[in-house]
Amino acid sequence: MTGVDYGKILKRLESKDGDQLVRELHGSLLNGYVDQDEFATVGDLGPKLLTNQSGNQIWNQLRHELQTCQSYIFAVAFVTDAMISSLKPIFKQLANRGIQGRLLTSDYLYFNQPKAFAELLKIPNLEVKIAKVDGFHQKGYIFQHHGYQTIIIGSANLTENALMRNYEWSLQINSLNNGDITHQVSENIENEWQHAQPLTDQWIAQYQLVYQKNHRTTHAIAQMVKNGQPEIIGDYIEPNQMQKEALAQIADLRKAGKHRGLVISATGTGKTYLGAFDVRNAKPKRMLFLAHREEILRKSAQSFQKVIGGPKDDFGLYTGNVHEKDAKYLFATVQTLQDDAHLHEFSPNEFDYILVDEVHHAGAKSYQKIMQYFKPEFYLGMTATPERNDDFSVFELFDYNVAYEIRLQQALEADMLCPFHYVGISDYQFNDAQVNEEIASYQNDAAHHQKEVQAIEHLTSKERVHYILEQTEYYGYSGSQLHGLIFCATVKESEQLAAELSRQGHPAKALSGSDSMVVRQQVVKELAAGQIEYIVTVDLFNEGIDIPCVNQVVFLRSTNSSIVYVQQLGRGLRKAKNKDYVEVLDFIGNYKNSYMIPIALTGDASYSKDSARETVEIEPTIGLSTIAFDEIAKERIYQSLRQVRLNDMKKLRNVYQNMKFRVGRVPMLADFMAADSIDPEILANKKKNYAQFLIGEKVPIELSDYENRVLTFLDAELLNGKRRHELMLLDDLLAQNTVTEEKLKQQLKEANCQVDESTMASMRRVLDLTFYNKNASPSRADYGGQPIVIFEPDMQCYRLNDELSQSLQNNPWFKKLWQDGIKTGLMRAERYRADQRFTLGEKYTRKDVMRLINNQINTTAQNIGGYYFNDHDGAIFVTYHKSKEISRSIQYGDRFLNDHVMHYFSKGKRRLDSPDVKKFMDGQRRLSLFVKKSDADDDKTFYYLGTCRYMQGSARQEQHDGKPIVSMNLELDQPVSYTRYHSLID
């Protein structure tokens, strides 16, 4: 280096007794601005470029800075109501902690809506001013921490697209309070702040008048395209991307000679238009559209006419009051058509295309009667929820032909639905603990509660309803008019709640299944027109009736079914004019089933408590949808998770039965993979292997002891798909007696797999069982004792052992299960990188790691502790939050110093010259870091965070529990992702 000797400066700083913060910041600056190789950083204060790419959302960093700051200032030109809505839960937490904030914004270009300004006034401890600078176009976020400031400056306004989706450049820097950059920014902000206009109701009223004259509205067609709705070109409507994919797959079904097809599509994703597009493509002579509600028929007929075109008389209704039986496209209610007098008005071959909407109802006798009578060329069924709790299989009805499937989370990611802003709020607590217990008991089992009347009196009391309204007012809704939908536990509760809401100035009406269709339609019209603010119901609006204007959904009940929960959530997700998001407020009491909430919100089918807990901890985004929980609500979900067993046999049987309905036979593990259902490992390892699970479900499988043991090997060791080599060889040996080494290597190369001799030898040790110890668990005997695959070194080829070959020839069930395990393992392998031994962010057990670092034997049979070395690899295992119940001698303080440096402790009784300590430092081994948050639920898996290296000069001799120990810093070659980092350290 020339000029300034930064190395001397850094050494001089480190030799001082000054503040650790000063040393960390100087090191970070030298690393970020001078030389990243010469100056390794310790601390999380270096400069960062935030882009919204590769999971690097500016929103996440902004949220983190807010949650850890002492005060904050935003200076942003543009602000949206949707972004304010997502930030409200955080602002509320900050206000509860006494954290003050300031926001400087503008009326530049009249981008900011008056409602956005009005929402800002609701936020406690936030002072807002309007800049008087002409052309104010700043985009800066300043956070005061203890002794230093964090500044994010770049291209991102306070809008949902800028902070979550757009490709932005925002630079995050840190500076001590007396740093020049801090001084420049603070001076600039303070100068503008002093001259700015305070935000008041009066200012907003004046702005409203000017805004209406100057604001440029987006054209309706452009809005439809943006929203993912069918694109209108002249008088012609074109399908969106999802619909194009679905139409191609439905067409493929017909080309294959299939006469029935099922479409599974989340509410609001355009199922009706999809059906119309397919009818337009199929060009039937006559079409019948079946539904169970007349309002569905009327809206569907209108949509079909827009798509297909032609005379209005071509589109007719067949209901209790209207019998337009000669229409080319006939829309009929099931209730009417099931009557013999009406059904026999038509011949069985009258329609060559029949579309059944909400087809999960088709198990009813009325549907069955109609569908058995008619013989069309093609039946198309459409539903958002094919799963049922009875013995009827929608899949069987449609010959197991699933033409297309898109679920809620996929649709949100694809921007096909209106985003939701979910807030889990702790429900109101009465001063009387006995009252709270009574309410919790009622909410957990309202249908059988003995003191229903008393519980409802409390739940609809003046004070509880006032509390609910406080929350709904603060969190708000999208648009200028509230259109709310409230779900509660019973009809009586809904009626009394609606009455109390109305008494407190928020007009509401209750609706239940006993109300006539005329009454329902009238109340829905009143909600859409703004004559009432809320409809209060139990389960009436789970499906069927669309109320696109709904912009606030409120849950005042426990969650007994994730399917029903998603159905009710979906009521607000249909896109509508002047609606950018739907606010979802979930009042969480002491519910035994609240563990279902994070599972339902993310659609996670892993049956992992760890995943559900992580959703609550990191509050992920789904597209532009956000999730937040207050602290009490979080603890209630954690408590529910602690008490439930997600993988108990009852739940697994339900999953199994649903899949059996879906495929129409005994489901194989590959079926669960293909349907993105439960992780097959859970089913396969519940009872040693999947064969034993099936035997428990009365499937007539007979296996020899040896067959049972090798199936256990396959399911326990290879089904996870974490290395393809063994699976690909076993797959080859199903088709041929021998496989040459040359051919196998060629296949592995084509699959981008590693074919070095160390990996190939490791594969052979696994398949001949020498990797497994004789006297440990699992042992070689557990897996049959003899080599599963024999390698002939002279011929350089592989073959199965004779007993296994005979079983594959003589036992059809064994062969089917063996093939299925291999197929499923290869399908599951798609989640892992083929060209690397480990995949960042995926989870591995110690045994997995021993296999994948090509270790000679499975040393996890012994206690390998926190790390293990062989000649070429080092595997480091960290439990971040250690149990207080473990021995003090191993309660080391391993911790992240930042997102790419871990401060790590050796095993006890080690010194700087101990052999294993030297192995960290000598650079002769590839070091891989595996971390898990805690030992909760006896989870034996660790997240792979990447390769790392010892930071030169960082080792220190220390004492722990009276014994020598060595601490050091390990630097990851790639920083830990934001969400993983904070899920581990928080």
Side-chain angles (χ1 to χ4, degrees):
M1 295 179 63
T2 60
V4 179
D5 192 335
Y6 292 101
K8 285 185 178 180
I9 293 175
L10 186 57
K11 288 179 181 177
R12 188 165 70 248
L13 285 164
E14 289 178 341
S15 67
K16 289 185 175 183
D17 295 328
D19 195 314
Q20 174 69 17
L21 171 64
V22 177
R23 294 196 295 272
E24 287 186 8
L25 185 57
H26 278 82
S28 296
L29 291 174
L30 291 172
N31 174 271
Y33 295 112
V34 180
D35 191 318
Q36 63 176 332
D37 294 324
E38 183 165 349
F39 302 110
T41 178
V42 176
D44 202 14
L45 301 177
K48 296 178 183 176
L49 181 65
L50 308 176
T51 63
N52 287 335
Q53 303 298 299
S54 303
N56 182 21
Q57 279 190 328
I58 303 171
W59 155 252
N60 283 331
Q61 194 63 42
L62 193 75
R63 186 171 57 168
H64 171 69
E65 295 298 331
L66 278 171
Q67 290 169 334
T68 57
C69 73
Q70 294 178 316
S71 65
Y72 59 94
I73 306 173
F74 292 176
V76 286
F78 302 149
V79 180
T80 60
D81 175 32
M83 196 68 249
I84 297 167
S85 169
S86 292
L87 283 164
K88 277 181 179 177
I90 301 173
F91 285 144
K92 193 169 191 178
Q93 293 172 15
L94 294 177
N96 291 338
R97 288 161 38 203
I99 304 296
Q100 297 283 340
R102 292 188 288 169
L103 189 151
L104 182 65
T105 185
S106 74
D107 57 4
Y108 182 53
L109 297 180
Y110 301 100
F111 176 90
N112 294 338
Q113 297 177 351
K115 181 166 187 291
F117 287 127
E119 293 301 315
L120 286 171
L121 285 181
K122 293 181 181 179
I123 298 170
N125 283 21
L126 177 66
E127 186 179 0
V128 184
K129 286 190 176 183
I130 309 299
K132 289 189 174 181
V133 180
D134 289 338
F136 182 89
H137 207 225
Q138 292 180 340
K139 303 162 186 75
Y141 306 86
I142 302 101
F143 306 91
Q144 181 65 55
H145 297 283
H146 181 68
Y148 73 100
Q149 285 187 334
T150 299
I151 304 172
I152 299 175
I153 297 178
S155 61
N157 278 295
L158 196 66
T159 70
E160 62 276 25
N161 281 318
L163 296 183
M164 297 182 184
R165 174 179 288 168
N166 294 346
Y167 187 13
E168 305 277 352
W169 272 19
S170 287
L171 182 64
Q172 175 181 318
I173 57 176
N174 296 280
S175 169
L176 295 176
N177 288 338
N178 199 35
D180 184 53
I181 186 63
T182 299
H183 178 72
Q184 290 183 50
V185 172
S186 297
E187 186 176 53
N188 185 281
I189 289 289
E190 291 302 327
N191 182 56
E192 293 177 8
W193 185 265
Q194 293 304 318
H195 294 89
Q197 166 77 44
L199 180 66
T200 63
D201 289 323
Q202 292 78 9
W203 184 91
I204 294 173
Q206 293 174 354
Y207 176 73
Q208 174 85 44
L209 299 175
V210 183
Y211 174 85
Q212 290 173 346
K213 294 179 182 179
N214 293 276
H215 179 62
R216 298 177 181 177
T217 58
T218 305
H219 292 297
I221 293 175
Q223 188 65 39
M224 289 185 72
V225 175
K226 173 189 171 186
N227 289 346
Q229 298 300 314
E231 182 178 355
I232 301 176
I233 303 175
D235 294 328
Y236 199 73
I237 303 179
E238 283 296 311
N240 61 32
Q241 187 57 43
M242 180 281 287
Q243 291 162 341
K244 289 177 182 178
E245 294 173 8
L247 289 168
Q249 294 187 33
I250 297 170
D252 287 342
L253 275 182
R254 283 197 290 267
K255 287 177 184 176
K258 306 295 184 182
H259 298 286
R260 298 193 178 202
L262 181 64
V263 170
I264 303 169
S265 182
T267 299
T269 53
K271 290 194 300 293
T272 303
Y273 274 113
L274 172 63
F277 288 130
D278 194 55
V279 170
R280 187 172 76 183
N281 292 344
K283 297 180 174 60
K285 294 178 181 178
R286 289 200 73 189
M287 180 217 73
L288 175 65
F289 185 106
L290 283 174
H292 64 298
R293 291 199 175 109
E294 186 172 334
E295 58 264 49
I296 296 177
L297 297 181
R298 293 186 180 277
K299 290 182 179 179
S300 299
Q302 293 171 4
S303 298
F304 270 63
Q305 187 177 8
K306 287 180 184 178
V307 170
I308 298 172
K312 187 175 181 180
D313 290 346
D314 280 356
F315 303 84
L317 297 180
Y318 201 88
T319 67
N321 299 317
V322 183
H323 302 148
E324 299 169 337
K325 66 180 293 290
D326 295 324
K328 181 177 181 180
Y329 306 105
L330 189 62
F331 297 78
T333 58
V334 173
Q335 293 87 336
T336 302
L337 201 57
Q338 63 143 350
D339 186 272
D340 285 342
H342 293 290
L343 187 60
H344 293 288
E345 285 286 318
F346 305 93
S347 71
N349 298 315
E350 187 88 28
F351 304 98
D352 41 342
Y353 190 118
I354 297 181
L355 192 154
V356 187
D357 195 29
E358 305 291 359
V359 76
H360 49 277
H361 290 295
K365 290 181 179 179
S366 54
Y367 280 84
Q368 291 293 297
K369 180 178 181 180
I370 295 169
M371 293 184 71
Q372 289 171 10
Y373 178 80
F374 287 115
K375 310 296 180 186
E377 282 296 313
F378 191 70
Y379 262 118
L380 181 67
M382 299 192 298
T383 179
T385 52
E387 298 86 0
R388 291 177 59 87
N389 294 322
D390 56 24
D391 290 332
F392 175 71
S393 171
V394 174
F395 299 97
E396 180 181 5
L397 183 64
F398 284 84
D399 299 333
Y400 308 102
N401 297 324
V402 178
Y404 191 77
E405 181 169 4
I406 182 167
R407 298 294 180 130
L408 175 66
Q409 288 71 26
Q410 295 170 287
L412 286 166
E413 293 280 7
D415 195 29
M416 298 171 65
L417 299 174
C418 181
F420 66 79
H421 296 169
Y422 171 93
V423 188
I425 307 168
S426 57
D427 204 348
Y428 183 75
Q429 292 291 288
F430 291 86
N431 292 328
D432 189 333
Q434 187 173 348
V435 170
N436 292 326
E437 290 178 9
E438 192 65 43
I439 289 172
S441 176
Y442 161 77
Q443 290 178 321
N444 282 319
D445 192 11
H448 301 95
H449 202 264
Q450 295 179 344
K451 297 183 179 180
E452 175 184 341
V453 174
Q454 295 95 315
I456 291 175
E457 289 296 327
H458 293 299
L459 289 171
T460 60
S461 64
K462 181 179 179 180
E463 56 265 45
R464 197 235 184 182
V465 173
H466 177 71
Y467 171 79
I468 292 169
L469 289 172
E470 280 185 327
Q471 310 308 312
T472 59
E473 171 63 21
Y474 173 73
Y475 288 107
Y477 48 86
S478 178
S480 58
Q481 174 67 50
L482 171 60
H483 306 284
L485 189 57
I486 297 177
F487 292 97
C488 57
T490 64
V491 173
K492 286 182 181 179
E493 184 183 340
S494 70
E495 292 170 347
Q496 292 183 217
L497 182 60
E500 183 58 33
L501 285 166
S502 299
R503 274 194 292 270
Q504 295 196 29
H506 294 268
K509 287 189 176 181
L511 279 181
S512 70
S514 62
D515 290 305
S516 69
M517 189 58 62
V518 173
V519 170
R520 296 181 200 177
Q521 291 173 338
Q522 178 59 36
V523 172
V524 169
K525 285 181 181 178
E526 290 175 16
L527 183 75
Q531 296 170 356
I532 60 173
E533 292 184 357
Y534 288 107
I535 294 176
V536 189
T537 188
V538 182
D539 290 327
L540 182 62
F541 292 102
N542 290 2
E543 61 186 29
I545 299 178
D546 286 328
I547 317 177
C549 65
V550 168
N551 52 16
Q552 189 185 85
V553 176
V554 180
F555 291 104
L556 298 175
R557 56 179 299 173
S558 63
T559 304
N560 296 315
S561 164
S562 59
I563 294 172
V564 171
Y565 190 91
V566 169
Q567 287 175 333
Q568 295 176 344
L569 174 66
R571 291 305 95 198
L573 299 183
R574 192 173 292 279
K575 293 191 173 187
K577 186 178 180 181
N578 299 324
K579 175 181 165 186
D580 296 322
Y581 63 92
V582 59
E583 193 72 29
V584 180
L585 304 178
D586 195 349
F587 289 79
I588 301 174
N590 293 312
Y591 304 151
K592 63 184 179 183
N593 290 332
S594 60
Y595 70 87
M596 289 185 180
I597 294 171
I599 294 171
L601 288 171
T602 60
D604 177 31
S606 68
Y607 280 65
S608 165
K609 285 189 179 185
D610 190 43
S611 296
R613 191 178 289 109
E614 187 172 278
T615 295
V616 179
E617 289 169 352
I618 68 175
E619 300 174 334
T621 56
I622 306 171
L624 293 181
S625 295
T626 58
I627 297 171
F629 300 90
D630 72 24
E631 292 305 312
I632 296 175
K634 283 184 179 182
E635 183 49 44
R636 287 174 178 166
I637 295 175
Y638 293 149
Q639 182 179 357
S640 176
L641 280 166
R642 286 192 289 269
Q643 295 172 347
V644 71
R645 291 178 58 200
L646 289 180
N647 65 343
D648 66 22
M649 279 304 300
K650 182 179 179 180
K651 290 182 175 64
L652 297 185
R653 283 194 183 101
N654 286 337
V655 174
Y656 169 82
Q657 289 297 331
N658 283 334
M659 186 56 62
K660 190 175 180 181
F661 282 144
R662 182 182 182 114
V663 298
R665 52 172 167 75
V666 172
M668 294 289 100
L669 293 173
D671 294 319
F672 294 95
M673 279 295 298
D676 197 24
S677 180
I678 190 172
D679 189 332
E681 271 200 289
I682 296 173
L683 289 173
N685 296 324
K686 184 66 177 179
K687 291 188 174 183
K688 290 192 174 182
N689 58 52
Y690 189 50
Q692 294 304 313
F693 182 93
L694 292 177
I695 290 170
E697 297 303 307
K698 311 302 182 186
V699 179
I701 298 173
E702 293 185 4
L703 300 173
S704 69
D705 179 68
Y706 179 72
E707 290 167 346
N708 188 57
R709 289 176 186 272
V710 293
L711 283 175
T712 298
F713 164 79
L714 180 62
D715 288 356
E717 302 295 334
L718 307 183
L719 179 69
N720 56 49
K722 292 175 182 176
R723 187 163 73 184
R724 291 166 169 80
H725 299 64
E726 293 90 342
L727 291 162
M728 290 177 68
L729 176 54
L730 291 175
D731 194 41
D732 285 345
L733 289 171
L734 280 168
Q736 50 199 307
N737 294 328
T738 61
V739 175
T740 65
E741 175 87 335
E742 182 181 3
K743 179 181 178 182
L744 177 61
K745 283 187 174 181
Q746 182 60 38
Q747 283 182 307
L748 290 168
K749 287 178 182 177
E750 291 172 359
N752 207 26
C753 297
Q754 297 173 324
V755 293
D756 57 280
E757 181 50 36
S758 176
T759 302
M760 299 301 291
S762 171
M763 177 202 72
R764 290 193 286 270
R765 286 192 296 272
V766 170
L767 291 176
D768 69 16
L769 301 186
T770 55
F771 174 70
Y772 304 96
N773 299 357
K774 291 182 179 179
N775 302 315
S777 180
S779 68
R780 297 173 197 172
D782 291 331
Y783 295 150
Q786 59 178 308
I788 291 171
V789 174
I790 299 168
F791 179 61
E792 305 284 3
D794 295 338
M795 302 179 64
Q796 288 290 293
C797 69
Y798 300 91
R799 64 177 177 85
L800 297 176
N801 74 54
D802 293 340
E803 187 171 1
L804 180 54
S805 294
Q806 288 297 315
S807 291
L808 288 169
Q809 292 178 30
N810 299 329
N811 188 335
W813 258 114
F814 173 76
K815 182 177 182 179
K816 190 173 187 178
L817 292 164
W818 184 257
Q819 289 174 317
D820 178 53
I822 295 168
K823 177 181 178 181
T824 305
L826 289 170
M827 292 172 70
R828 202 176 187 281
E830 294 300 316
R831 68 193 289 178
Y832 302 101
R833 291 192 57 166
D835 61 336
Q836 297 183 8
R837 296 179 305 169
F838 302 107
T839 301
L840 281 174
E842 293 293 343
K843 300 179 79 172
Y844 299 85
T845 64
R846 283 186 168 92
K847 184 173 64 173
D848 292 331
V849 174
M850 291 301 104
R851 176 165 72 106
L852 298 178
I853 64 172
N854 303 332
N855 212 50
Q856 291 287 326
I857 60 171
N858 175 25
T859 52
T860 57
Q862 307 156 11
N863 179 16
I864 67 172
Y867 50 83
Y868 176 82
F869 295 103
N870 59 25
D871 292 340
H872 41 77
D873 277 281
I876 303 162
F877 301 93
V878 174
T879 301
Y880 203 81
H881 297 281
K882 296 173 177 62
S883 170
K884 295 179 181 179
E885 298 177 1
I886 66 172
S887 169
R888 275 184 48 82
S889 64
I890 56 174
Q891 287 184 9
Y892 310 136
D894 304 325
R895 70 186 189 280
F896 282 110
L897 299 179
N898 56 45
D899 62 3
H900 55 285
V901 177
M902 172 166 280
H903 190 60
Y904 184 72
F905 287 84
S906 70
K907 297 176 183 178
K909 301 180 183 179
R910 299 298 194 275
R911 301 186 182 276
L912 289 170
D913 58 355
S914 296
D916 58 346
V917 173
K918 288 183 177 180
K919 289 177 182 178
F920 280 98
M921 306 177 187
D922 61 18
Q924 296 180 16
R925 293 163 183 81
R926 177 170 39 192
L927 304 181
S928 299
L929 182 62
F930 300 85
V931 181
K932 65 177 175 177
K933 182 159 187 171
S934 69
D935 285 318
D937 307 317
D938 198 29
D939 186 7
K940 294 180 172 59
T941 59
F942 296 77
Y943 290 104
Y944 173 60
L945 301 187
T947 53
C948 60
R949 53 185 170 168
Y950 165 73
M951 294 180 67
Q952 292 298 323
S954 66
R956 298 286 184 271
Q957 186 70 62
E958 299 190 26
Q959 292 286 314
H960 175 76
D961 200 28
K963 300 180 179 65
I965 194 170
V966 175
S967 70
M968 67 190 78
N969 293 331
L970 301 174
E971 184 173 24
L972 283 156
D973 293 325
Q974 183 171 331
V976 185
S977 69
Y978 175 90
T979 52
R980 179 67 56 229
Y981 178 64
H982 287 283
S983 72
L984 289 169
I985 69 173
D986 292 343

